[in-house]
Each structure stands twice: as structure tokens, then as C-alpha cells.
Amino acid sequence: MALTRLGLNQSINLASNVTGTLATGNGGTGATSFAPGKVLQAVTSVNTYGSQSSTSTSYFDMESASGTSWETSITPSATSSKILILFSSQIMGTGNEQEQRNMTKLVQKIGSNSYTDLTYQKGGAYNGAAAQSLQPNQSMGLIYLSSPNTTSACTYKLQLLTSSSGVTLIPNHGSYSTCALMEIAG
Amino acid sequence: MDKFFKAVKILRPNTQMIWETPIETEENFNKVKWVTGVNSDNEAITTTINPHSELTWTAVKAEMDKL
């Protein structure tokens, strides 16, 4: 192996004057393992569909187009990976009620299995005097670190409900919802 | 508030449904997902086959026209 001695202020072209494999830390590629905590990939999705309405007091899917559930997927590269899930949702509830409590739930599906619950948040409004027309806009931030233990596609969506069928829930009313999924090395 | 929502509430209070606004035509009315129950995960069970005889398009449209 020939060695070249570099003098002060001299440089060497790594691309043309060096053979062999560079360490990944020096810009080489082909790493097969990563330190825990490193972000390996990220997926984002924005939902601007504001034409859905519901009076359902049981969970229904937030849609991204007429009749299409808003689903966002990521496929982990290793079973040891974790998935950091970040959702921001925007919902308006409108109705002539004394109280409305509106739930937003984050659910996960692994491969072709059924969805399972991860976490949820509650919003809404209460008028102490009597029923009256209320239209609260509520922003929900749902964050969850999942350990799906799989290399199959992991799919996420939001489900909504209202506490009263006298309330109409309108997702993305004049605003939008966002999702970011990150695979974190385990 | 949405006229469709108001009309349904007048004709059949406490009806639960999921729809794409606005419901101004029979074609869109026939796409309404009516909630008929819940499963073990408290998720809505829906159908586009209207299970409510009092909520025909004719009746709903007539009520909407009064609003």
C-alpha cells in the first residue's frame, strides 16, 4: 500500500485518489446498523379535506376525500425500530347544545391486521347557563411513540366522535390536519 | 347551520349520520352513511342503505326548502 505524506495546507481528493471503503462516519455508504435514536426515515401527510360532516356518537374515520379514510403509512426497516407519530388535527363542532365533548383518537394498523387504539384526546365546550349555539374550533395534538416490532407497513389514522348527535363535527373546517411519522432506530 | 342537518333533526331527532356537505341533490343524499350501531371498539357501524323510512329524499328536501 502506497502512502502519501501531505504537507501543510495540502489536500487530497478522496473521490479519485483513494481506493477502498470509507467509514460511514466519513461519508461512506452502506451502513447496516445505526445508533439508537437516529431518525432513519420520515413520512408526512397533510389533510385539507373540509367537506365531511358527522353527528356520530361512535368513532368514525376522518376522511381525506369523499369516502376515503385519511391513512398515512410507514414501513420500518428493522423490527427494533420505533415509530414516532405526530398528528395535529383541526375540528369544528357546531350545535345548539349545552355541552359538546368531542374525541379524537389515534389508531394503528400493522400489515393487514385490524386497527388498535394508541391514544386519544378530548375537546369541546360547555355553556353553564343553558343550551345555545356553540361552534368551538379545536386543535388536537396527538403524539405517540410506538414499538410495532415489525417490518410490515404501519398505518395510522384519526377517528372522531361527538358526545351528542345534536352536534355536527366538521374536520378541517377552514384549516387542515397534518401527520408526521418518523422511524427511530431502536 | 347545514340545512340537511336541520331537516333531519326536525324529521327524526337524534339521527346519526356521516355525510359530505352540502347535501343538495338526491345523488349526494344517497351517499349519506347512516349510523346503525357500534362495534366492540365503539366504532360506528354504517350503511348507505337508508334505514329510516321517515327520512326519504322527498321528505328531507321538502323540509330543507322550508328553512
Side-chain angles (χ1 to χ4, degrees), chain A residues 41-118:
Chain A
Q41 59 171 318
V43 174
T44 62
S45 176
V46 177
N47 185 357
T48 61
Y49 186 61
S51 295
Q52 182 184 19
S53 303
S54 175
T55 57
S56 178
T57 60
S58 45
Y59 283 109
F60 65 95
D61 292 351
M62 182 188 287
E63 296 180 349
S64 57
S66 180
T68 304
S69 297
W70 181 37
E71 298 178 313
T72 308
S73 297
I74 190 169
T75 303
S77 59
T79 56
S80 59
S81 293
K82 299 179 186 305
I83 304 297
L84 179 60
I85 307 143
L86 307 168
F87 265 94
S88 171
S89 70
Q90 182 70 224
I91 303 161
M92 186 180 81
T94 176
N96 190 31
E97 301 284 316
Q98 183 172 21
E99 178 180 19
Q100 59 170 281
R101 304 296 181 194
N102 308 318
M103 304 292 291
T104 302
K105 184 172 72 168
L106 170 63
V107 295
Q108 169 183 261
K109 179 176 75 173
I110 298 174
S112 58
N113 293 325
S114 301
Y115 277 98
T116 56
D117 298 353
L118 294 183

Side-chain angles (χ1 to χ4, degrees), chain B residues 17-49:
Chain B
M17 64 273 181
I18 302 164
W19 72 99
E20 316 297 331
T21 55
I23 303 292
E24 295 174 340
T25 64
E26 186 169 13
E27 182 183 3
N28 283 343
F29 178 78
N30 290 334
K31 294 176 183 175
V32 172
K33 290 185 277 190
W34 306 95
V35 177
T36 59
V38 298
N39 65 18
S40 57
D41 294 323
N42 197 33
E43 294 170 339
I45 300 169
T46 64
T47 177
T48 54
I49 300 171

